[in-house]
Amino acid sequence: MKNSSSIQALFGAHLKKLRLQSGLSQEAFADKCGLDRTYVSGIERGVRNPTLEVISVLAAGLEIEISKLFEFS
Amino acid sequence: MKNSSSIQALFGAHLKKLRLQSGLSQEAFADKCGLDRTYVSGIERGVRNPTLEVISVLAAGLEIEISKLFEFS
């Protein structure tokens, strides 16, 4: 598994924070998105490089705009 | 080449708009990003599905926050 890059780590940490704020477990969130839980786990840990399509699915699963997934400092 | 999905088309059209606003040609922008011009063309036309890493590179090339790439209605 490749090392996490800066953007992957930032994105993953922010995604996890938003998911926890929404009250969803990783499994419930993955199910809602139609993604595998291990894949969502990898994104949150910053070791996966999700595509635009997947990023769109993640935002829909959290019922937020995609831009909100990138509002980290 | 696969059909453009809704999010790819939206993202690509918005990217093109922002690039034109920045005054960069597709070739100059691609060079600045270290990407192939034909790849950037495919993203703008909504037929490519860029990864998080590439999306980050595109934002850096335009000198904007990633969230701005998703501020389309």
Side-chain angles (χ1 to χ4, degrees), chain A residues 5 7-8 11 49-53 55-56 66-67 70, chain B residues 5 7-8 11 49-53 55-56 66-67 70:
Chain A
S5 73
I7 182 61
Q8 289 178 201
F11 181 85
N49 187 17
T51 64
L52 176 59
E53 294 280 357
I55 292 167
S56 175
I66 300 175
S67 60
F70 292 97
Chain B
S5 73
I7 182 62
Q8 288 178 200
F11 181 85
N49 187 18
T51 63
L52 176 58
E53 294 279 356
I55 291 166
S56 174
I66 299 175
S67 60
F70 292 97

Side-chain angles (χ1 to χ4, degrees), chain A:
Chain A
M1 197 172 285
K2 72 174 187 170
N3 287 333
S4 59
S5 73
S6 175
I7 182 61
Q8 289 178 201
L10 280 170
F11 181 85
H14 190 56
L15 175 68
K16 182 174 181 177
K17 182 178 132 186
L18 293 171
R19 174 180 61 75
L20 291 173
Q21 283 175 356
S22 79
L24 288 168
S25 69
Q26 205 173 61
E27 186 152 17
F29 176 54
D31 283 352
K32 198 172 171 191
C33 293
L35 299 171
D36 194 272
R37 191 197 61 75
T38 61
Y39 182 55
V40 171
S41 169
I43 296 171
E44 288 190 353
R45 286 180 291 116
V47 296
R48 299 301 295 261
N49 187 17
T51 64
L52 176 59
E53 294 280 357
V54 169
I55 292 167
S56 175
V57 164
L58 295 170
L62 289 173
E63 299 173 28
I64 60 176
E65 299 289 323
I66 300 175
S67 60
K68 298 287 183 197
L69 285 175
F70 292 97
E71 289 178 3
F72 40 74
S73 49

